Each structure stands twice: as C-alpha cells, then as structure tokens.
Amino acid sequence: MIRIVSLLLTGLLVLSACEAPNTSGGIGADGLPLPKVYKIRNSQKADIQFRVLDSVNALRSAAGAGPVQLNSELTAAAATHSRDMSVQNRPWHFGSDGSSPIDRAQRAGYPGTLLGENISETYETELETLAAWMEVTGTREVIMDPRARDLGFSWHQDSSGKIWWTMLMGG
C-alpha cells in the first residue's frame, strides 16, 4: 500500500511539472538563486480545484476509499479561511473572530458533518502541498477518511506570492 501511495505521489509531482507556472527568478543578495514563485492566475481556479479533486480521488482509490466530490459550501468556507489566515499572517485553524472549522462550514451552509481541515502557508503548488499533507499522519487521515464524501478546497495568494491553502473534508 505504501508503494502504491508513493508511486501515485511521484506521478502527481511529475504531472504538476507539466504546466509551467508563472515564475520570477534572479539572484539574491547571498548569490544564490531566488525561489521561484508559483503565481496563480484567476483563470486557473477551476483547473486547480479539479486537479486537486482528481489527485485526492486517485489517492483515496489506491487506498480503497470512495471518491469525494467538490462541494460549493465547503469550498466557500475554505476560501474565507484562506483569506483570514492571510490577514492574520499565521496558519492556524481558528478564524480571527474565534471561529472553528465547524463554525465556518455551518456558516457557509454545509448540511453535512465536517470531518477535518488541512491548512498550509507555502509558496508551493497545490500538488506539492497535497504531497506534503500526505506525508503527515494527521493531515493524511483527513484526506483518506473513509467517511468523506465532500471536498472543499481553496486558497488565497498574497502579493508576495505566499499561498494560504485550505482543504475541508465532509461527510
């Protein structure tokens, strides 16, 4: 099973390299290359969300879990939290108003049970972020929860290029 998940993650990373993101380069003051910034254009929103959905479903299928579908209420809650984490300038599960992931899902009108939330503050692509979540037991369990039927996924990108990713799983 670990071999299958490793192969899938490797394949996902290879596929993520197929679309060249907008990047900025150069040499820093220390003489080393500056990191490349993955710049997300508004026109990429649906592509990114479906790429994550397809990747999550491939990982779940390899592990014997059923597929999930994109859910608009969970995606709205994820978008709200991504923007709020950016404003707070810290990745954490509580909103600036003290809201929990459950509160935000309910406010967005999600009728099901929220099973978990994954968050990230990074300059990495969505597939690199998904791969990183799969390497950590707690975040992997959220993605692979056999009760999950719904996925919410969104982000906010700062002017610096930093991306605040949020994934919600519901059932």
Side-chain angles (χ1 to χ4, degrees):
M1 164 115 138
I2 292 175
R3 180 181 287 167
I4 291 172
V5 171
S6 296
L7 288 172
L8 281 171
L9 286 175
T10 301
L12 291 173
L13 289 174
V14 168
L15 286 175
S16 72
C18 291
E19 180 179 329
N22 293 336
T23 60
S24 60
I27 303 297
D30 58 2
L32 297 174
L34 293 172
K36 293 183 178 182
V37 175
Y38 177 59
K39 184 67 178 158
I40 301 173
R41 296 180 303 271
N42 288 336
S43 63
Q44 294 176 290
K45 182 177 181 178
D47 291 340
I48 289 171
Q49 288 177 324
F50 284 109
R51 192 164 34 247
V52 168
L53 176 66
D54 290 345
S55 299
V56 165
N57 280 333
L59 291 166
R60 290 175 59 84
S61 176
V68 294
Q69 62 185 356
L70 275 176
N71 177 276
S72 60
E73 291 93 359
L74 289 180
T75 296
T80 298
H81 191 55
S82 292
R83 282 188 303 274
D84 191 44
M85 286 190 297
S86 172
V87 168
Q88 296 181 69
N89 197 31
R90 64 178 168 181
W92 75 324
H93 294 283
F94 293 95
S96 56
D97 62 356
S99 62
S100 70
I102 294 170
D103 296 331
R104 291 188 297 276
Q106 288 174 342
R107 279 188 209 158
Y110 183 64
T113 301
L114 183 68
L115 301 172
E117 176 182 71
N118 289 340
I119 58 172
S120 181
E121 165 198 24
T122 184
Y123 291 91
E124 296 178 329
T125 70
E126 65 280 359
L127 295 181
E128 290 170 319
T129 301
L130 177 59
W133 284 336
M134 289 299 292
E135 292 177 8
V136 178
T137 302
T139 52
R140 181 177 55 248
E141 287 174 351
V142 169
I143 295 165
M144 305 305 286
D145 190 324
R147 300 170 296 165
R149 299 290 173 261
D150 298 312
L151 167 76
F153 183 77
S154 195
W155 62 90
H156 175 78
Q157 186 165 34
D158 291 341
S159 59
S160 70
K162 184 186 297 183
I163 307 169
W164 303 85
W165 300 104
T166 304
M167 173 187 281
L168 296 169
M169 299 295 276

